[in-house]
């Protein structure tokens, strides 16, 4: 080693670009101070002549950080490929050509079957836990007989209260723009995917699923007048179940039409209520949509209680039609145009009253426009809410005599 390396061996290791110092023994002054030798330009590359030591160390540090980031990204990609190995095999099969279409179809079927079995196993575990909770002593069960009833007067009062819930939720939703991005699958990057198809959930579907997860734990969907939009994903209960009376005929009340309600709200009702546009209030709009969907779903499926009350009051009228499976005859028997006209007038009056401030008359005589058009609310009730309710009644009655 030269005299300089004996004094500073780290420099020779860390900074190889300064190795030319080894060949010069006159790099120290008589006082022991290091000096850079004057070299001919052809003796060293331009980088070695111009790049100081601190810049070289910084460049190597940045290079090390870049390699570390690349290693982390590679590890993440490796884990992702391991989790989605079935999807990777499907993609590889497609890339190999059309001759492997049969193998790809079989692989897709096996993946779908495995996911379906896992989902059914989760559902079975949830049901088992619910049944285990329901096997408690009667002293630990809460009586819910006063919450649901098939008495005609009670059913009528409940329907009137639900009108107010629907109108209030629609008025609140009308204050926010439509924000179409929250209804598009993949329109916003939410952490939710369909297990069967792999598509990304829309923001509304994601918020609705998460909301039902919370409500499902506190036994909301154990009530006979509540129906979840995604019952297969409900979690176990954290509260003991309520003891409800058998108000409905069980074989006839095991269905729901929430998929129809969801489609009706997004594609037909919402465009008439919310103004076109995008104000970026995606979270607020999605939460208001959830409130509207839950209120509409409860109102539509309450048709089961309406049908049970009407059947109990006059079974001789409905039994022949049920035996003959005459859906059209049941629809005609259930339809009461006079009562429906009263409902429409009541709904329009409520929308007109709730859509303006209480002190609107004292506004100096200036006209105050309602937050939502009362005629529009009545038209939506007439075109969608009441027909869907009667559809539920017909479906319930067609299975009313089954054991």
């Amino acid at each position: 080693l030269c005299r300089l390396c004996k004094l500073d061996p780290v420099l020779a290791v860390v900074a190889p670009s300064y190795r030319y110092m080894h060949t010069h023994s006159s790099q120290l002054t008589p006082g022991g101070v290091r000096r850079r030798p004057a070299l001919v330009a052809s003796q060293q590359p331009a980088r070695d002549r111009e790049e100081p030591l601190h810049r070289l160390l910084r460049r190597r540090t940045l290079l090390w950080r870049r390699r570390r980031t690349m290693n982390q990204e590679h590890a993440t990609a490796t884990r992702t490929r391991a989790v989605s190995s079935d999807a990777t095999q499907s993609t590889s099969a497609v890339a190999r050509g059309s001759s492997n279409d049969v193998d790809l179809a079989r692989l897709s079927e096996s993946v779908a079957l495995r996911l379906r079995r896992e989902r059914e196993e989760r559902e079975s575990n949830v049901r088992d836990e619910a049944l285990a909770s329901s096997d408690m002593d009667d002293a630990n069960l809460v009586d819910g007989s006063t919450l649901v009833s098939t008495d005609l007067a009670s059913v009528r009062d409940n329907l009137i209260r639900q009108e107010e819930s629907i109108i209030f939720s629609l008025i609140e939703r009308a204050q926010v723009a439509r924000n179409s991005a929250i209804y598009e699958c993949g329109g916003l990057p939410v952490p939710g995917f369909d297990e069967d198809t792999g598509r990304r959930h829309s923001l509304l579907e994601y918020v609705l699923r998460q909301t039902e997860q919370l409500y499902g734990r506190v036994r909301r969907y154990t009530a006979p007048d509540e129906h979840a939009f995604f019952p297969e994903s409900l979690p176990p209960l954290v509260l003991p179940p309520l003891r409800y009376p058998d108000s409905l005929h069980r074989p006839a009340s095991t269905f729901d039409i929430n998929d129809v309600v969801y489609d009706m709200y997004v594609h037909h009702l919402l465009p008439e209520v919310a103004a076109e546009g995008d104000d970026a209030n995606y979270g607020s709009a999605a939460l208001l949509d959830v409130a509207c969907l839950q209120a509409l779903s409860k109102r539509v499926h309450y048709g089961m209680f309406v049908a049970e009350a009407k059947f109990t009051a006059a079974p001789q009228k409905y039994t022949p039609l049920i035996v003959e499976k005459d859906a059209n005859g049941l629809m005609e028997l259930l339809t009461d145009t006079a009562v429906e006209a009263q409902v429409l007038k009541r709904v329009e009056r409520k929308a007109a009253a709730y859509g303006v401030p209480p002190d609107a008359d004292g506004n100096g005589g200036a006209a105050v426009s309602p937050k939502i058009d009362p005629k529009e609310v009545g038209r939506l009730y007439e075109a969608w809410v009441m027909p869907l309710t009667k559809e539920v009644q017909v479906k319930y009655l067609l299975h009313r005599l089954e054991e």
Side-chain angles (χ1 to χ4, degrees), residues 179-308:
N179 296 313
S180 300
I182 68 178
Y183 310 106
E184 300 173 359
C185 296
L188 295 171
V190 297
F193 298 89
D194 188 88
E195 293 183 353
D196 295 331
T197 63
R199 67 169 180 83
R200 185 187 292 271
H201 294 159
S202 65
L203 178 61
L204 175 58
E205 184 177 351
Y206 173 75
V207 175
L208 183 56
R209 285 178 178 272
Q210 296 301 315
T211 303
E212 290 188 346
Q213 287 288 308
L214 174 61
Y215 289 154
R217 289 186 173 89
V218 292
R219 70 190 178 196
R220 173 173 183 171
Y221 300 108
T222 61
D225 59 341
E226 295 283 356
H227 294 78
F229 282 82
F230 306 102
E232 71 279 358
S233 302
L234 292 180
L237 299 176
V238 298
L239 294 176
L242 294 175
R243 184 175 62 245
Y244 291 100
D246 294 331
S247 302
L248 300 177
H249 188 60
R250 186 173 297 276
S253 60
T254 57
F255 71 94
D256 68 77
I257 60 170
N258 273 331
D259 54 341
V260 180
V261 175
Y262 187 96
D263 182 78
M264 175 271 295
Y265 175 78
V266 173
H267 298 100
H268 300 283
L269 193 150
L270 183 64
E272 302 295 335
V273 174
E276 180 66 32
D278 190 323
D279 56 7
N281 289 319
Y282 302 138
S284 300
L287 290 173
L288 294 173
D289 287 331
V290 169
C292 292
L293 285 170
Q294 291 176 338
L296 289 169
S297 174
K298 185 172 183 177
R299 171 62 172 81
V300 168
H301 289 97
Y302 210 78
M304 298 182 186
F305 291 88
V306 178
E308 179 66 24

Side-chain angles (χ1 to χ4, degrees), residues 319-386:
T319 300
L321 297 175
I322 296 174
V323 172
E324 296 176 2
K325 301 295 181 181
D326 187 358
N328 294 329
L330 289 173
M331 181 65 73
E332 293 179 1
L333 186 58
L334 291 169
T335 302
D336 191 335
T337 55
V339 174
E340 292 180 0
Q342 294 178 0
V343 172
L344 294 178
K345 291 181 180 179
R346 184 171 63 243
V347 168
E348 292 180 4
R349 288 198 303 267
K350 289 182 179 181
Y354 301 153
V356 296
D359 56 349
D361 296 338
N363 197 21
V368 178
S369 58
K371 298 179 180 178
I372 189 172
D373 186 6
K375 295 294 184 181
E376 188 64 30
V377 176
R379 192 190 70 81
L380 294 174
Y381 238 81
E382 182 180 12
W384 296 105
V385 177
M386 291 194 297

